[in-house]
Amino acid sequence: MATKELTETDAAARLAELAKEIARHNRLYHDRDEPEISDAEFDALVRENAALEAQYPHLIRPDSPSRQVGAAPSTALAKVAHARPMLSLDNAFSDEEVREFVRRVRRFLSLPEDEPVALTAEPKIDGLSCSLRYEGGRLMLAATRGDGAVGEDVTPNALTISDVPQTLYPGESRGPAAGGSSAVEGWTPAFAGVLEVRGEVFMSKEDFAALNARQAEAGGKVFANPRNAAAGSLRQKDPGITAARPLRFLMHGWGELSEPLGAAQTEAVERLRALGFPVSDLFRRCETIEEALAHYAAIEHARAELPFDIDGVVYKVDRLDWQERLGSVGRAPRWALAHKFPAEKAETTLERIEVQVGRTGKLTPVGRLTPVGVGGVMVANVTLHNRDEIARLGLREGDRVRIQRAGDVIPQVVENLTRDEERPTFVFPDRCPQCGSEAVAEEGEVDVRCTGGLICPAQRIERLKHFVSRGAMDIEGLGEKTIEEFAASGWLHGPADIFRLRDHRAELLGREGWKEKSVDNLLAAIQAKQGFDPARLLFGLGIRHIGIVTARDLLKAFGTIEALAEAAAGENGIAELSSVEGVGPVVAEALHDFFHEPHNREQLADLLALARPAAFVSQARQTEWSGKTVVFTGSLQTMSRDEAKAQAERLGARAAGSVSAKTDLVVAGPGAGSKLKKAEELGVRVVGEEEWARIVAEA
Ligand code: IVH
């Protein structure tokens, strides 16, 4: 390759060209199934890009093809549902937030002030989480986290990692091959039932540097950081590639278990260590919060010397019966917390301020920067959050700024270094830059929103893109560009129109870039989404604050989207929604606003008639209480209201806020008033707290 002759300016221009070209060919190949060039020609482009990047690492672009980690290979991996959801963690950035976490735990469990709460503390490894499922002592399945409910099957790849035990036979970590049919004669597995061990797959700093050097030399992909390298290496269709990459594994938890591992996190971790799973040397049990914070300080001090990247410390409540009672809210357990290290900072120039319109109409200012490296990653864009933030920092195009990047949070500006210099002030638009409608901030709100609703093409198109995206309906062949193209043709107004695209088959065939095969593939991919997961469809509607986990919680509580819509639109909607585990007032209000709007309900009815989603399958236990409605009233003595609601959810029941003829059970504590009276009038069964505890224990 003749890259050596290029000047730096030429190299930058060529990298820009390559980024565009490779992305275009990727789209042609993956979205359209109509490649214009051969695989070998495509590989040559990728190699040219890698070689240039290796030579000029400071010119690596944020949209560089080498940074689109795993995107291509991941489409080829099979999806697997997790037996227990893979949760994420709430973050804390100060000692005070950690103290507040422990106070919350105490409140939830109604613990007396002097009851000690022991915590475990261990490094938060910057890798990707992986769940390893053993049955009968053999590794049967390894899966990535995915969206927490559904991940990707990476079993053959995980088998190539030497830290991952293939079998759980005493003193024999490489016993009978995984998936094989017979156990070794005379051996009994050290754990014979179902055991799902969860932990982090990562690459050491040293191995990462050596891998990148090798890759650059061979003209392969150069990775931006060890985490991307680990993810790209594990999520491969060909396990041979994974085997050649130096991946490591450290365990930090578990999923489904056929028998308990112990009474405390510490005990369970020791048990897993004995079974052959590597545990961090920095894992500690801390009797007090002070001890935990001291361990945080020690880990932070050791950070630079550690062989791998970490971005904080994870605390967990040690007692497992308490963890069980605490449960989780949304995506995060109430019994664990990530205490992050302070962010990394850098200085650069704010070249331009652009205002984007999102799918909920929010106008978001984005800062375009002179690219700068922050903690090993090139940053070229920052979010400027909103109008007030620009004013607070006094930002104008041309200012020098200090930016910071914390973990996986989007980089942001923390300081304007040239505030005193004379420069024209930035005027935030009062009209939507996309449709020209008025853009206003509601009283008490900082966000400025376009009032154009669905007449605003940006909102309509962003919603449609979200609807078909991977986490939502995941319609293959219907990428962002195609959505834009179809919307411009007037074929797509709302999501239901996607299911009407088949009416445009003939016109589509007459278009450039569309052949019989690609059109048929697209229409088949759409057709295949009839009868799809209702939670993904609900998430795909793009209602503010409704992520996939909340969507599942809502369906668990209401059964169908129609029932949810009816409840949310009703007079009592906000109260009823707020009584669902994982739904707070903000989410309840967003749902009410959405479903209250007749236009949205019309669109939804149209969509449901065409998409006909499947029945919702809950991951909650099936008990005689599944689908029943329970109301808690009065003051509860042995548990908090939140805990009581969580218990009901775990039985598959719904905890409601008010008593009606549909209520199946009322749990009344001392001081119960009108709800108890109403229950008695309606003849609803009423029990005390003790009886409720018995129901929970026996269900
Ligand atoms: S505990 C139920 N412990 O951090 C709690 N997670 O931000 C789930 N991670 O998805 C995880 N080191 O991939 C735990 N020592 C540690 C960890 C750790 C890294 C990752 C994990 C999780 C993510 C959440």
Side-chain angles (χ1 to χ4, degrees):
M1 243 165 297
T3 50
K4 286 238 157 40
E5 283 84 47
L6 290 185
T7 64
E8 199 167 308
T9 324
D10 289 343
R14 181 64 187 146
L15 281 169
E17 228 169 74
L18 283 166
K20 234 168 137 178
E21 270 294 275
I22 292 173
R24 191 172 76 82
H25 289 302
N26 255 329
R27 273 200 304 275
L28 285 168
Y29 184 87
H30 290 290
D31 295 356
R32 298 271 177 94
D33 225 2
E34 286 298 0
E36 274 178 18
I37 57 174
S38 70
D39 287 359
E41 284 167 312
F42 180 79
D43 287 344
L45 290 177
V46 173
R47 270 202 306 277
E48 187 189 345
N49 187 71
L52 270 176
E53 289 187 346
Q55 202 179 347
Y56 300 107
H58 60 290
L59 294 180
I60 298 180
R61 303 166 54 83
D63 63 346
S64 158
S66 67
R67 299 188 52 188
Q68 315 302 309
V69 177
S74 73
T75 54
L77 294 167
K79 299 262 159 64
V80 274
H82 298 299
R84 298 267 180 286
M86 285 185 81
L87 299 170
S88 107
L89 291 166
D90 276 341
N91 293 327
F93 291 92
S94 67
D95 291 4
E96 183 43 34
E97 285 173 89
V98 178
R99 290 180 211 282
E100 177 51 33
F101 160 73
V102 177
R103 281 197 288 272
R104 260 198 321 271
V105 166
R106 282 182 187 288
R107 264 201 309 275
F108 191 92
L109 298 172
S110 299
L111 297 180
E113 267 310 301
D114 53 355
E115 171 98 45
V117 177
L119 301 173
T120 62
E122 68 201 284
K124 184 171 191 304
I125 301 145
D126 206 3
L128 74 155
S129 50
C130 186
S131 185
L132 307 169
R133 185 180 174 94
Y134 295 81
E135 286 171 31
R138 280 177 297 151
L139 179 64
M140 302 304 277
L141 177 72
T144 62
R145 179 170 179 279
D147 67 5
V150 176
E152 288 163 330
D153 184 346
V154 289
T155 315
N157 312 15
L159 284 167
T160 70
I161 304 175
S162 59
D163 284 341
V164 170
Q166 299 197 354
T167 57
L168 305 177
Y169 287 80
E172 167 89 73
S173 72
R174 302 214 160 254
S181 57
S182 66
V184 171
E185 236 174 289
W187 285 104
T188 325
F191 195 108
V194 174
L195 170 65
E196 271 183 16
V197 175
R198 291 175 176 177
E200 211 72 1
V201 170
F202 62 97
M203 200 177 279
S204 77
K205 298 180 200 169
E206 201 183 325
D207 286 340
F208 162 72
L211 170 68
N212 258 1
R214 278 203 309 278
Q215 291 284 103
E217 200 163 312
K221 180 188 276 186
V222 176
F223 295 99
N225 54 42
R227 178 152 80 110
N228 287 1
S233 302
L234 185 65
R235 299 169 67 220
Q236 286 285 344
K237 189 74 182 137
D238 174 5
I241 299 179
T242 312
R245 303 276 173 82
L247 291 177
R248 308 266 317 266
F249 177 81
L250 274 177
M251 80 110 224
H252 51 59
W254 54 88
E256 190 180 350
L257 298 173
S258 55
E259 59 186 86
L261 292 166
Q265 184 83 20
T266 337
E267 206 182 306
V269 165
E270 280 320 315
R271 179 89 198 278
L272 291 172
R273 195 203 297 267
L275 286 172
F277 296 94
V279 177
S280 165
D281 295 338
L282 293 164
F283 175 88
R284 292 276 183 290
R285 177 182 144 105
C286 305
E287 301 303 328
T288 63
I289 204 168
E290 299 315 322
E291 217 179 300
L293 291 172
H295 193 47
Y296 169 89
I299 293 179
E300 188 180 15
H301 186 72
R303 184 181 186 187
E305 308 306 318
L306 290 181
F308 48 83
D309 280 347
I310 62 172
D311 58 352
V313 170
V314 180
Y315 306 118
K316 294 168 191 164
V317 170
D318 195 33
R319 271 179 61 164
L320 296 181
D321 56 336
W322 285 355
Q323 287 191 8
E324 171 91 6
R325 282 174 61 190
L326 285 157
S328 58
V329 63
R331 287 168 176 272
R334 289 194 191 85
W335 46 265
L337 182 74
H339 189 177
K340 294 295 207 58
F341 295 135
E344 299 184 78
K345 299 193 169 78
E347 289 177 20
T348 185
T349 302
L350 175 62
E351 292 179 357
R352 258 172 312 117
I353 300 176
E354 285 173 14
V355 178
Q356 297 179 340
V357 187
R359 71 182 141 88
T360 58
K362 179 175 154 188
L363 266 54
T364 304
V366 177
R368 305 287 179 209
L369 308 171
T370 308
V372 61
V374 195
V377 173
M378 289 302 280
V379 173
N381 306 304
V382 276
T383 170
L384 300 174
H385 298 291
N386 51 49
R387 186 176 59 181
D388 289 9
E389 180 72 358
I390 294 183
R392 185 178 75 79
L393 292 161
L395 289 175
R396 299 143 310 174
E397 295 182 341
D399 278 331
R400 284 291 290 173
V401 289
R402 177 168 293 128
I403 62 166
Q404 78 169 25
R405 183 182 147 264
D408 38 17
V409 180
I410 306 169
Q412 49 187 333
V413 175
V414 284
E415 195 185 344
N416 181 354
L417 302 165
T418 49
R419 217 184 162 123
D420 298 339
E421 288 176 16
E422 294 248 332
R423 216 171 271 131
T425 350
F426 177 76
V427 184
F428 202 87
D430 56 5
R431 297 246 154 221
C432 170
Q434 291 292 323
C435 71
S437 300
E438 226 184 319
V440 294
E442 304 255 322
E443 212 180 295
E445 283 236 357
V446 285
D447 291 332
V448 175
R449 283 176 196 280
C450 161
T451 56
L454 292 182
I455 68 144
C456 174
Q459 287 184 58
R460 218 174 53 220
I461 291 172
E462 290 310 311
R463 269 174 196 256
L464 287 166
K465 285 181 188 168
H466 172 72
F467 185 76
V468 301
S469 68
R470 268 233 211 136
M473 296 297 279
D474 192 15
I475 300 180
E476 212 164 306
L478 204 46
E480 300 207 341
K481 283 274 162 298
T482 316
I483 287 279
E484 281 168 19
E485 183 186 325
F486 291 177
S489 308
W491 298 344
L492 296 180
H493 299 280
D497 295 328
I498 289 167
F499 291 92
R500 293 195 186 94
L501 279 172
R502 54 172 178 236
D503 301 344
H504 299 286
R505 188 169 185 278
E507 293 152 88
L508 198 45
L509 277 173
R511 292 229 167 164
E512 204 191 307
W514 288 92
K515 302 239 169 75
E516 186 124 2
K517 182 168 169 237
S518 53
V519 172
D520 287 344
N521 284 348
L522 173 64
L523 296 177
I526 295 171
Q527 196 70 20
K529 296 297 159 145
Q530 284 188 331
F532 194 54
D533 178 358
R536 303 262 297 264
L537 188 143
L538 174 59
F539 167 61
L541 295 177
I543 305 169
R544 278 175 81 192
H545 308 298
I546 310 300
I548 184 67
V549 174
T550 310
R552 285 193 203 285
D553 286 345
L554 288 163
L555 283 164
K556 210 188 297 170
F558 290 95
T560 62
I561 300 180
E562 286 94 334
L564 163 69
E566 195 174 320
E571 229 172 88
N572 236 346
I574 295 189
E576 198 170 337
L577 291 165
S578 306
S579 67
V580 174
E581 162 85 355
V583 173
V586 176
V587 171
E589 202 168 319
L591 285 164
H592 176 72
D593 288 352
F594 183 87
F595 289 115
H596 196 65
E597 172 67 52
H599 177 75
N600 287 337
R601 295 195 64 183
E602 272 162 38
Q603 275 210 352
L604 178 68
D606 187 20
L607 171 65
L608 292 177
L610 289 166
R612 298 194 299 274
F616 178 67
V617 186
S618 161
Q619 289 180 342
R621 267 194 304 147
Q622 281 297 318
T623 70
E624 59 172 313
W625 291 92
S626 300
K628 301 249 166 93
T629 305
V630 182
V631 174
F632 296 93
T633 180
S635 64
L636 303 172
Q637 309 292 300
T638 59
M639 58 192 163
S640 65
R641 187 65 63 93
D642 284 345
E643 183 177 5
K645 284 184 180 171
Q647 286 178 339
E649 299 256 329
R650 281 201 284 269
L651 301 186
R654 181 161 82 87
S658 57
V659 177
S660 74
K662 289 190 207 140
T663 310
D664 296 288
L665 181 73
V666 170
V667 182
S674 61
K675 288 183 197 170
L676 175 58
K677 207 167 141 229
K678 187 151 183 206
E680 281 163 353
E681 279 165 19
L682 291 167
V684 175
R685 181 178 167 201
V686 178
V687 299
E689 211 172 320
E690 239 170 75
E691 176 68 6
W692 169 249
R694 202 189 50 75
I695 291 175
V696 172
E698 287 176 5

